[in-house]
Amino acid sequence: MAVKIKTQYGTIDITNEVIATVVGGAATDNYGVVGMASKNQIRDNVNDILRRENFARGVVVRQEENGVAIDVYIIASYGTKISEVSRSVQAKVKYNLETMLGVTANSVNVIVQGVRVLAD
């Protein structure tokens, strides 16, 4: 399913994969985020950090009447305050969706799937 934006020149369709890529890039760009995690780790048999081409596995996009609802699955860095990292991810995802795609995010839910210790 895609987000449809109507303009005076026609219709713009933005697929969920594009939205997931923008969301994943925004989420991993925050301090304290090690990477994206799969939303179905058992089914996907993946408990590793997702690469950029697989960000759609760690993001759920649901269409609503006047925008979208986003679920983001991340892996946080050990020693960071998870609540602050989550707030930062929410703000950046919402900002990037509105500026890059013109899509309004009604809610951004951050699910921390794990914590990793980063080697220096």
Side-chain angles (χ1 to χ4, degrees):
M1 193 157 190
V3 174
K4 295 182 187 301
I5 301 172
K6 295 188 184 205
T7 65
Q8 64 183 6
Y9 303 111
T11 305
I12 301 169
D13 292 338
I14 303 172
T15 65
N16 287 350
E17 288 77 26
V18 172
I19 294 171
T21 302
V22 170
V23 169
T28 56
D29 199 29
N30 285 294
Y31 175 78
V33 177
V34 175
M36 298 286 295
S38 175
K39 61 185 173 267
N40 296 323
Q41 289 183 342
I42 296 171
R43 188 188 78 196
D44 292 342
N45 199 16
V46 176
N47 62 359
D48 262 350
I49 298 170
L50 297 177
R51 295 179 186 229
R52 185 169 297 279
E53 60 270 5
N54 293 328
F55 278 168
R57 285 185 174 177
V59 177
V60 176
V61 180
R62 293 183 309 276
Q63 272 75 30
E64 294 180 346
E65 288 181 16
N66 55 354
V68 294
I70 306 290
D71 294 339
V72 184
Y73 294 81
I74 64 168
I75 297 174
S77 175
Y78 179 80
T80 58
K81 190 171 181 181
I82 293 176
S83 62
E84 289 301 318
V85 170
S86 298
R87 280 193 199 101
S88 175
V89 168
Q90 287 174 326
K92 184 125 187 185
V93 165
K94 188 171 177 72
Y95 175 78
N96 279 8
L97 282 175
E98 290 173 359
T99 57
M100 289 183 183
L101 302 177
V103 175
T104 303
N106 295 335
S107 65
V108 178
N109 304 312
V110 178
I111 298 97
V112 180
Q113 290 280 72
V115 177
R116 293 268 171 100
V117 177
L118 293 178
D120 288 334

